[in-house]
Amino acid sequence: MKHVILNSKLYRYSMTENKSTEQVAIFLLGALQDIESVRFYSESFSKTLTCITLEIPGTGYAEPLGVSVSIQEQSQMLLDFINYMDIRAAHIIGFSYATAIATELCCIWRGVKSLSICGGVPGIPKSGIAATKRMIAAAMQSKREFADTFIDSLTADDQNIPRSKVIKKAMAKNIANLDETRISMFFDNSIRLLVHKPSNIKKITVPAIVCAAEHDPYVTTKIAKAFCEQLPNSQYMEIKNSDHLAHLEHPEIVATALILLASSAVNVEKSLHKLSA
């Protein structure tokens, strides 16, 4: 685990190098996620390329941000980190909340090579507005109330979703153990997304994959498809028998889908090296 302070703000990140390729992925996290909770994905991605899993200010255990800080400003903070690390190009991978930040980055940095998203659109989806308001209200009550509302808003009661009860129980326990700073961060990020106005995402021409869960009540497949259709060079993938917690229900499928574009670039790079050898 590494820390860096840029412009008086704390960032947390981990980096697992893959010396067989020059390709790099920057992995951004969703609401209530942190580097430790997505270790499976970081390790999985690093089998293909160097993976930097990053908590920018306002996410994970990094520097908390006030509610007045915009998504665009968070994206600039991400770019500050990229410049600090002297990264010239990278594949951007993100869960849920990170979608808004990742798409804004595509509008301000020419180094994005591909964009891979799971369970998110660049803002609060229409299907999630009422649920977001309920979660914000619950976050002001108690951890128990927040946990119940969070889980109810993001999951579906479908017997075909694997390990659903176990995952919900574990999620409730994890939320109960969160400190107040993390709950407050969720509150601020939700407000930030509610007022966010995305840039012109139709101008994002990099290859993109948008993954959505079949039974996600928050980011429905209809809304995810509509987002995907706005990206000129994108492909849509639906994860069957899953809800907003698809990354926990089908980790191998989600990991494979999210690394697909980067993997293709690595294969091209290796083929070119062989031809020029």
Side-chain angles (χ1 to χ4, degrees):
M1 187 64 58
K2 299 181 180 181
H3 302 77
V4 63
I5 296 177
L6 303 174
N7 298 319
S8 302
K9 292 181 174 60
L10 174 68
Y11 296 66
R12 291 176 81 234
Y13 69 100
S14 66
M15 181 167 68
T16 307
E17 291 189 74
N18 185 318
K19 296 184 178 180
S20 70
T21 176
E22 297 177 358
Q23 303 283 326
V24 174
I26 298 175
F27 178 28
L28 306 172
L29 313 183
L32 301 185
Q33 290 180 331
D34 51 62
I35 291 171
E36 290 80 2
S37 70
V38 297
R39 184 169 290 125
F40 167 83
Y41 286 93
S42 300
E43 293 176 353
S44 178
F45 298 154
S46 68
K47 294 176 182 177
T48 299
L49 76 180
T50 294
C51 179
I52 300 173
T53 304
L54 175 63
E55 296 174 9
I56 61 171
T59 64
Y61 288 98
E63 185 85 11
L65 294 175
V67 69
S68 62
V69 177
S70 69
I71 294 292
Q72 283 85 355
E73 289 174 294
Q74 268 190 306
S75 301
Q76 183 59 54
M77 292 173 196
L78 171 56
L79 184 55
D80 290 343
F81 175 84
I82 290 170
N83 290 333
Y84 166 79
M85 296 290 287
D86 195 26
I87 300 170
R88 304 301 174 86
H91 302 273
I92 307 300
I93 302 173
F95 282 134
S96 192
Y97 177 78
T99 305
I101 299 169
T103 52
E104 290 301 319
L105 179 69
C106 291
C107 297
I108 63 173
W109 187 47
R110 294 182 178 180
V112 177
K113 300 192 72 172
S114 70
L115 176 65
S116 299
I117 295 299
C118 182
V121 294
I124 299 291
K126 290 183 179 179
S127 54
I129 291 176
T132 299
K133 292 178 178 178
R134 289 195 299 270
M135 286 188 280
I136 289 173
M140 300 176 66
Q141 301 301 316
S142 67
K143 290 182 182 180
R144 176 69 188 194
E145 183 73 17
F146 176 58
D148 290 344
T149 305
F150 184 89
I151 293 167
D152 181 65
S153 299
L154 302 183
T155 62
D157 292 323
D158 189 294
Q159 62 181 3
N160 293 317
I161 297 177
R163 302 182 295 116
S164 180
K165 291 183 179 179
V166 173
I167 290 171
K168 289 178 183 179
K169 184 177 180 180
M171 180 69 72
K173 183 178 179 180
N174 289 340
I175 292 174
N177 291 327
L178 290 176
D179 58 40
E180 292 301 326
T181 301
R182 296 291 301 282
I183 301 293
S184 178
M185 188 178 287
F186 175 87
F187 179 98
D188 292 343
N189 283 340
S190 297
I191 299 295
R192 208 181 328 277
L193 280 182
L194 278 171
V195 301
H196 175 56
K197 293 183 179 179
S199 299
N200 188 356
I201 60 177
K202 292 182 180 179
K203 292 184 178 180
I204 299 174
T205 58
V206 298
I209 286 180
V210 176
C211 300
E214 181 182 16
H215 302 298
D216 190 340
Y218 191 79
V219 181
T220 64
T221 54
K222 180 180 179 180
I223 286 177
K225 285 178 183 177
F227 166 49
C228 185
E229 288 169 359
Q230 291 182 72
L231 298 168
N233 190 15
S234 65
Q235 297 185 67
Y236 172 79
M237 175 182 171
E238 190 168 302
I239 305 165
K240 300 297 183 182
N241 300 323
S242 64
D243 52 32
H244 197 73
L245 304 182
H247 63 288
L248 300 174
E249 297 154 354
H250 300 283
E252 291 83 6
I253 294 174
V254 173
T256 300
L258 291 179
I259 201 62
L260 192 60
L261 292 175
S263 181
S264 296
V266 169
N267 289 336
V268 169
E269 177 192 77
K270 290 180 177 180
S271 295
L272 289 174
H273 283 170
K274 287 180 180 180
L275 288 173
S276 61

